[in-house]
Amino acid sequence: MTVPPPPWRRSPSPRRRAEKPVLSRDLVVKTALQMLAAEGFEAVSMRRIAQQLETGPASLYAHVANKEELDELMLDAVLGDVPVPEPDPENWTEQVKEQVRQQVRAMVAYPGIAKVAWNTPVPVTPNSLRQGEAMLAILRAGGLDLKQAVYAGDALSLYAKAYAYEASSWTFGDYDEAEVAERGRQMADYMRSLPAGAFPNLLQSGQFFTGETSKDRFEFALAMFVGGLQSLVRA
């Protein structure tokens, strides 16, 4: 026999569905980055993000103009994780190198972000401006004049984007390892078939282009670049 509850006891209310978060630019970008990290760059679209947020694509356009703007906003959010140091004239060379390292690490952490950076020649977003100003401030603290600092900052940015682009392609499987290995074998066979002594240095260089040497090559380029900047200051 079912006994009814006493009249002074309230019946439990039906469980209410959790309210959806208020749609905003930050929420759109956060959702896009989560999708990017989980599924890759090609999976991110305005339609997919709208589905994830249980809304229509048209509602996203009130916060983000188009996919191109979303890409730049994702890049900006990623760069926001890179800290900016106080320029130290006594340690400026290491600060320069560390800024480039951190920018590369941030871009490599998300598939496709380095491609966005490469395809955006002059990004003008809050964190990209913050990173650019930070690099110029460090270079100026080291003794470079504004023109030298601007040229150096531009070259370092290009190197960071190019390195991150290549590293991301390997990390996230943009290259088919079997195809690359076969192409490498064919190249080695071809080089060995050439007349003896034709390219003696190139024939020995292959040992330095492996996944194990990528960090060494990166650090070597940074050291050379910063060493050249030091010579400008001493001149």
Side-chain angles (χ1 to χ4, degrees):
M1 180 177 63
T2 302
V3 178
W8 60 83
R9 183 170 298 162
R10 297 179 60 186
S11 299
S13 301
R15 181 174 296 177
R16 295 180 60 187
R17 182 179 179 182
E19 293 185 5
K20 293 190 296 184
V22 177
L23 194 61
S24 66
R25 172 178 285 187
D26 287 344
L27 180 59
V28 172
V29 174
K30 179 181 177 182
T31 303
L33 283 174
Q34 291 171 343
M35 190 175 296
L36 178 72
E39 302 181 51
F41 186 75
E42 299 303 324
V44 180
S45 68
M46 301 294 274
R47 181 183 60 82
R48 288 285 313 283
I49 294 167
Q51 290 175 343
Q52 184 72 21
L53 295 175
E54 298 182 353
T55 187
S59 62
L60 300 186
Y61 292 108
H63 305 280
V64 179
N66 48 45
K67 179 56 164 54
E68 288 70 28
E69 182 179 47
L70 177 61
D71 289 346
E72 288 195 39
L73 290 171
M74 287 193 293
L75 171 62
D76 190 68
V78 168
L79 291 177
D81 293 335
V82 180
V84 171
E86 186 69 25
D88 180 3
E90 301 300 318
N91 193 39
W92 72 275
T93 56
E94 186 54 38
Q95 285 188 319
V96 166
K97 290 188 283 187
E98 185 58 22
Q99 281 305 107
V100 176
R101 292 183 192 118
Q102 298 228 41
Q103 290 171 9
V104 168
R105 280 196 290 267
M107 287 187 281
V108 171
Y110 288 89
I113 283 296
K115 181 179 181 180
V116 174
W118 188 254
N119 291 336
T120 309
V122 186
V124 184
T125 54
N127 287 313
S128 61
L129 293 174
R130 173 173 161 265
Q131 286 296 315
E133 180 64 28
M135 181 62 80
L136 290 178
I138 295 170
L139 293 167
R140 296 299 305 279
L144 275 68
D145 62 34
L146 181 58
K147 180 179 179 181
Q148 292 170 333
V150 168
Y151 286 177
D154 179 58
L156 285 164
S157 175
L158 285 172
Y159 181 62
K161 290 188 290 187
Y163 184 88
Y165 194 172
E166 183 180 56
S168 294
S169 296
W170 285 107
T171 300
F172 298 110
D174 291 348
Y175 297 133
D176 185 297
E177 292 189 16
E179 289 183 4
V180 171
E182 176 59 19
R183 178 59 182 269
R185 185 192 64 76
Q186 292 174 346
M187 289 173 59
D189 289 345
Y190 171 71
M191 294 295 288
R192 283 193 294 267
S193 72
L194 296 174
F199 303 102
N201 293 301
L202 284 175
L203 285 172
Q204 299 180 70
S205 66
Q207 61 185 309
F208 303 114
F209 287 95
T210 67
E212 289 72 23
T213 64
S214 61
K215 183 177 179 181
D216 290 342
R217 286 182 276 121
F218 175 72
E219 290 295 333
F220 181 78
L222 279 184
M224 281 199 306
F225 199 100
V226 171
L229 296 179
Q230 286 179 294
S231 68
L232 286 177
V233 175
R234 291 193 294 263

